Amino acid sequence: MSLLQTGIDALLALGLVWLAWRALACPDLFRGIVLFIAFGLLMALAWVRLEAPDVALAEAAIGAGLTGALLLAALARLNRIAPAGTRADTREAWRNAPALLLVLAGAGLGLAVLSLLPEPAGLQAQVAAELGRSGVSNPVTAVLLNFRGYDTLLEVLVLLLALLAAWSLEAEPPRREAAPGPVLDLLLRLLLPVLVLAAAYLLWAGAHAPGGAFQAGAVLGAAGVLALLAGWRLQPHLTGLPLRLAIVIGPGGFLLVAWALLLTGRPLLEYPPALAGALILLIETLATLSIAATLAVLFQGSRPAAEPPA
Amino acid sequence: MSPVLLPDLPWEALLILLPLTGAAAGALWPPAARAIGLLTTAGGLLLLAGLGTAVADAQTLRHAVGGWGAPLGIELRADALSLVFLTATALVGLGVAVYADSYFERSQARGFWPLWLFLLGALNALFLSADLFNLYVTLELMGLAAVALTAFSGGRAALSGAMRYLLATLLGSLVYLLGVALLYHATGTLDFSLLTQRLEAGPAARTALGLMGAGLALKTALFPFHFWLPPAHSSAPAPVSALLSALVVKASFYILVRLWLELFAPLSGLEGAGTGEVLGWLGMAAILWGSWQALRQPRVKLLVAYSTVAQIGYLFLAFPLLTAAGLPDPAAWRAVLWLVLAHALAKAAMFLAAGNLLRFGGHDRIPDLDCVAQRLPLTVAAFALAGISIAGLPPTGGFIGKWLLLEAALLQGRWDLVAVMLLGGLLAAGYVFKVVGHFFTPAAAGHAARPVPAAMEWTALTLAILALLLGLAPAWLLPWLDLAVGPGPAEAVP
Amino acid sequence: MSAAGFYALAGVALVVLGLYGLAVQAHLLRKLLAVNILGSGVFLVLVGLGGPADAGPDPVPHAMVITGIVVAVSATALGLVLMLKLTTTSGRPTLEDDAPREGPEA
């Protein structure tokens, strides 16, 4: 490894810590969020340097992009609910008490990490050995959708749960904001097809190259967020069952695949090798739709208006 | 062991898939949510019976998800230890589901059922998982469902309690995950059995023990990490409080027990005994502090919530109790499993009874309870019976559990534990009878009363009676608990 | 020290920063930022420790981190909704007033 590369890595690592510190410490909340988004983008760079391009895509799209959008939207709503509440200079009384303790804990943790660095154990060999039977050639997708697909099933359910929880709280009535200018609308008409294509590419590529359902879903969700920003709303007749179907079909389809496999006498989520590739693509396509719909609806912050009376 | 009455089905997988599918279906079609919710909860009991028969035959069932097997894939595992927790979940879950059906208004109920089924699925998945990272995902699924249910009825106290709970539960899971990261890179596996073979004492194992112990203790609300529990458990809707106190805090405790019994305690050179002592001290502090606070609370639900803080303390008293070989004492752990079951049933009954009092009088201030003994006799009976079990008085399940634990402590000459247990029992009797006493007295100011549906009274009473029956059935149930602790490392010592 | 080592140690620093922010900041939005930063630190340790080794990077931690990122955004979304709802009812986006009371409530 060249000196230049070491320098870049050291700078990137320091930059991450510095940005995190500023995001947490700067007095203005808006700046804090912007710094947090910058932190997320720097994290994506760090993932690239760590040879984790799949994580880098997920971090940029979800960690920085959509989390940032959610934070900014929440801040805007907060401004309307409690204009004085966006000042963040209030601190708990015992501000300096835990600092020393934390530094000590951090030092202990650092030592433990250093002790593992020389020869960390991993599963590279096992993944490589079974990759041929997994139905895909991107090892990360193989782990996510096949070797540890059960984790992923639970994870798409976590996303669905978050949305149901948000709906059960009914944060506030839908916004009635001023119509966006023609510029945003035009921009959207140009960007939307690009984003949809990009999502489709990421979904397709995930089988053999960096990408996959989560990255694709996040990009498609970003398209939805842009559309919401431009003032587009779902037709009222689409906000009932059709919207719920879009949200549930990802986890629901995954569950149905699990049931079908179980009924054929296989263990939970064991794909027949010949069908593995096709099943993974099916699960990922449905998951992409649901992830996009869920993230966009979470961004909007409330149940779409025309929900049938419960 | 017992004749096979049921066909050979993948019970573990079904126990996880059924509630989660129900949750998704309920989200898709809200008008059916109630029917789906009640049916899947009841169906879980049948599946559990099937799993029980299978475990009785095979002792430990393993299910390789995806067909890969550890270390590449995730494995499910069912043994008697998981069965104890799954049983508590199924019984309390069914009782609470029937109760909730009458408790929530129709429009509210549609939102409740999917969230409850998510919680049920997450609990089942957690008790069946043998994979450290998979446990993290189930912890998060469970935590978010629990937070959502806490905030479910809205209201400032509930929202604030839920927010505090969310931050605590996220922090706990992430700290646990950091420990998982260290263990994974130290051993190259996330599977419990493989970790047991591969893990060696060293800075990584020691730090992982500290991190996972702290994260899980926070989620279990062990003193002094209990700060989030009373506001959340006392402000949630009554059926949710019952689920939180009876089941959700037990889930992180279950992981801690697994880690301790299978991984860390037998690891030579880790000074695991020191950690056990610390957990024991915190448990003792929790008993004294929680009971004392419960005694001082003016409201029934707060009192019951602080009683949970104290009862969690008892569960931690088994950590410092070791055999002569320095390994965990099976007798003490048998007592703890008994207490887990007894506390789950009794505490759920108490919270449901408290919910009835709230519904009846519109408040749960203890001094203002107005002759409820005559007006809500079933609820009063439920609260009193459950309270007797919580206080550890005979002939209840709580009595057997505490008696077994006391016996284990006496055999080892741990007089500090014995003293704290006896003192905690006195305080518990004090706070239970403080409430029960007010059941019979008229309040200074009478108030209007709302009717309480019979289903709400009967479910509370049924759970309380189950807690009582647990005390009458030790001969029948104790062999099961031997299974639960038997294959552990303690028995492996010649 | 390998490049991956820098990131693993940066991860430790982020964990400490996140814990500090969670303890010290009163504003709930800031507490949620702190949780996210804490999570990023854990993820960096998880992948950084595996590092680019001779056998190539280990894909299992990568998959775990992607799972973790999705869980984090779900939790953040729920946290933000809770914060907004709480602010609507109490007027302030903090928890400080109802700090855990150990004594009987007035």
Side-chain angles (χ1 to χ4, degrees):
Chain A
M1 185 169 55
S2 77
L3 197 64
L4 179 68
Q5 280 177 324
T6 311
I8 290 176
D9 287 325
L11 269 180
L12 204 52
L14 283 177
L16 278 172
V17 177
W18 186 77
L19 272 179
W21 168 248
R22 292 310 308 154
L24 287 176
C26 82
D28 181 42
L29 258 183
F30 177 74
R31 267 188 66 197
I33 294 175
V34 172
L35 285 166
F36 175 77
I37 295 171
F39 166 80
L41 294 174
L42 216 58
M43 281 289 293
L45 279 183
W47 297 126
V48 173
R49 292 289 306 148
L50 284 164
E51 296 180 37
D54 296 85
V55 185
L57 282 172
E59 180 82 49
I62 303 176
L66 278 162
T67 307
L70 286 173
L71 289 165
L72 287 173
L75 185 66
R77 272 174 213 140
L78 199 58
N79 272 326
R80 268 180 289 137
I81 302 171
T86 51
R87 275 183 296 114
D89 45 8
T90 46
R91 297 196 168 199
E92 312 256 12
W94 43 299
R95 47 194 295 177
N96 289 323
L100 184 68
L101 207 66
L102 279 177
V103 170
L104 282 178
L109 199 54
L111 285 178
V113 165
L114 286 177
S115 80
L116 282 175
L117 270 178
E119 39 181 345
L123 288 167
Q124 291 98 322
Q126 285 89 337
V127 172
E130 300 288 0
L131 194 58
R133 296 204 297 141
S134 74
V136 288
S137 59
N138 174 1
V140 177
T141 304
V143 175
L144 264 179
L145 269 303
N146 197 336
F147 303 145
R148 298 185 67 87
Y150 173 48
D151 278 345
T152 308
L153 169 63
L154 294 182
E155 164 198 359
V156 291
L157 285 164
V158 169
L159 198 60
L160 173 62
L161 167 64
L163 183 67
L164 293 180
W167 274 359
S168 82
L169 285 170
E170 290 281 28
E172 64 168 324
R175 293 180 290 167
R176 288 278 164 263
E177 63 273 65
V183 181
L184 190 53
D185 206 56
L186 182 67
L187 184 69
L188 186 71
R189 280 170 204 285
L190 288 173
L191 260 178
L192 213 55
V194 178
L195 286 173
V196 172
L197 272 180
Y201 170 76
L202 278 171
L203 174 62
W204 178 251
H208 51 87
F214 294 104
Q215 296 87 344
V219 169
L220 201 57
V225 167
L226 277 179
L228 287 169
L229 282 175
W232 295 16
R233 292 292 180 271
L234 275 181
Q235 299 281 318
H237 68 274
L238 290 177
T239 53
L241 188 66
L243 179 67
R244 289 202 303 272
L245 189 64
I247 283 160
V248 172
I249 198 165
F254 210 152
L255 284 167
L256 285 182
V257 169
W259 278 107
L261 293 171
L262 216 53
L263 287 179
T264 58
R266 295 174 168 274
L268 186 61
L269 286 175
E270 187 193 67
Y271 312 131
L275 286 177
L279 282 175
I280 289 176
L281 188 62
L282 172 71
I283 291 169
E284 283 207 294
T285 311
L286 298 178
T288 301
L289 282 177
S290 284
I291 292 164
T294 308
L295 289 173
V297 173
L298 277 173
F299 172 80
Q300 199 191 4
S302 66
R303 199 187 279 255
E307 180 73 4
Chain B
M1 192 166 154
S2 64
V4 181
L5 302 168
L6 293 150
D8 193 22
L9 289 176
W11 303 107
E12 321 85 317
L14 292 173
L15 264 172
I16 298 166
L17 277 189
L18 184 70
L20 293 178
T21 311
L28 182 64
W29 197 36
R34 170 175 179 255
I36 294 172
L38 284 169
L39 282 176
T40 27
T41 312
L45 215 52
L46 282 181
L47 295 178
L48 185 67
L51 185 68
T53 353
V55 170
D57 286 340
Q59 310 256 330
T60 302
L61 295 176
R62 288 194 150 263
H63 184 106
V65 181
W68 302 104
L72 186 60
I74 299 166
E75 291 197 3
L76 302 179
R77 164 188 44 189
D79 57 15
L81 182 61
S82 23
L83 219 52
V84 170
F85 287 83
L86 288 168
T87 308
T89 307
L91 289 176
V92 172
L94 187 58
V96 169
V98 172
Y99 183 92
D101 186 42
S102 303
Y103 181 89
F104 290 112
E105 310 206 348
R106 179 163 290 213
S107 59
Q108 246 190 334
R110 287 185 180 177
F112 168 80
W113 290 110
L115 295 177
W116 152 240
L117 290 179
F118 266 121
L119 183 65
L120 178 61
L123 285 166
N124 285 348
L126 190 147
F127 295 134
L128 287 166
S129 178
D131 182 283
L132 290 184
F133 183 76
N134 184 250
L135 281 170
Y136 163 76
V137 185
T138 59
L139 271 176
E140 292 287 33
L141 192 62
M142 176 192 82
L144 293 188
V147 169
L149 285 168
T150 306
F152 187 66
S153 61
R156 183 174 165 189
L159 290 168
S160 154
M163 188 75 216
R164 196 182 296 279
Y165 184 18
L166 175 71
L167 293 171
T169 193
L170 289 177
L171 174 62
S173 320
L174 284 173
V175 171
Y176 165 82
L177 182 61
L178 194 54
V180 174
L182 294 180
L183 289 185
Y184 174 74
H185 288 295
T187 60
T189 183
L190 295 158
D191 180 77
F192 259 107
S193 320
L194 290 177
L195 271 164
T196 313
Q197 297 161 20
R198 294 186 191 172
L199 188 64
E200 288 165 14
R206 204 169 296 133
T207 316
L209 169 62
L211 289 168
M212 297 165 106
L216 294 170
L218 173 62
K219 289 178 86 88
T220 313
L222 174 63
F223 180 91
F225 300 122
H226 65 287
F227 58 91
W228 58 266
L229 188 145
H233 287 206
S234 66
S235 62
V240 175
S241 305
L243 295 172
L244 295 179
S245 259
L247 304 177
V248 175
V249 288
K250 306 289 193 318
S252 42
F253 178 73
Y254 166 83
I255 302 180
L256 196 57
V257 170
R258 281 275 188 212
L259 285 171
W260 179 255
L261 288 181
E262 294 183 11
L263 204 54
F264 289 116
L267 201 60
S268 58
L270 193 66
E271 301 102 36
T275 316
E277 278 300 316
V278 172
L279 290 173
W281 290 333
L282 296 180
M284 288 193 271
I287 294 174
L288 297 177
W289 179 253
S291 306
W292 175 241
Q293 288 301 329
L295 205 53
R296 296 177 56 206
Q297 295 305 318
R299 288 178 36 214
V300 179
K301 281 185 82 184
L302 266 172
L303 180 148
V304 181
Y306 270 105
S307 152
T308 298
V309 173
Q311 299 302 316
I312 286 166
Y314 282 94
L315 305 183
F316 281 84
L317 294 190
F319 284 93
L321 291 175
L322 304 169
T323 59
L327 285 165
D329 179 1
W333 284 103
R334 189 177 309 141
V336 163
L337 292 182
W338 198 276
L339 281 178
V340 163
L341 262 179
H343 179 253
L345 294 167
K347 192 46 68 74
M350 275 179 117
F351 263 123
L352 296 186
N356 292 348
L357 296 174
L358 255 169
R359 168 68 58 95
F360 175 73
H363 72 88
D364 66 340
R365 294 182 303 275
I366 297 167
D368 297 343
L369 293 172
D370 190 17
C371 292
V372 283
Q374 289 92 330
R375 298 152 92 179
L376 288 179
L378 297 179
T379 296
V380 165
F383 192 95
L385 276 180
I388 290 170
S389 178
I390 291 287
L393 299 174
T396 58
F399 167 71
I400 305 281
K402 280 172 189 166
W403 180 262
L404 292 172
L405 195 59
L406 205 60
E407 201 174 48
L410 275 172
L411 275 176
Q412 297 188 27
R414 288 297 302 256
W415 297 103
D416 50 343
L417 300 184
V418 173
V420 169
M421 268 187 262
L422 293 177
L423 193 54
L426 277 178
L427 289 170
Y431 61 70
V432 167
F433 289 113
K434 172 182 159 189
V435 181
V436 173
H438 280 283
F439 284 158
F440 294 92
T441 53
H447 46 66
R450 280 176 68 193
V452 178
M456 283 167 63
E457 291 214 78
W458 277 106
T459 40
L461 187 60
T462 309
L463 287 173
I465 290 176
L466 282 177
L468 176 78
L469 288 179
L470 195 59
L472 303 175
W476 180 65
L477 268 176
L478 269 176
W480 267 100
L481 299 188
D482 278 334
L483 265 181
V485 243
E491 308 284 291
V493 180
Chain C
M1 184 166 54
S2 69
F6 287 128
Y7 294 109
L9 286 182
V12 172
L14 291 180
V15 168
V16 173
L17 272 179
L19 284 172
Y20 186 71
L22 195 55
V24 161
Q25 297 282 356
H27 198 292
L28 288 172
L29 196 78
R30 204 69 83 126
K31 278 191 194 282
L32 288 171
L33 280 187
V35 169
N36 271 291
I37 284 170
L38 172 60
S40 297
V42 175
F43 300 156
L44 267 186
V45 173
L46 192 50
V47 170
L49 269 181
D54 302 331
D58 182 356
V60 175
H62 297 188
M64 293 197 272
V65 168
I66 291 175
T67 302
I69 289 174
V70 177
V71 169
V73 77
S74 311
T76 307
L78 177 56
L80 290 172
V81 173
L82 264 179
M83 174 193 78
L84 289 173
K85 188 92 198 260
L86 178 62
T87 313
T88 327
T89 49
S90 76
R92 270 175 303 102
T94 55
L95 289 173
E96 52 187 346
D97 228 13
D98 31 34
R101 283 194 204 110
E102 303 289 13
E105 296 195 339

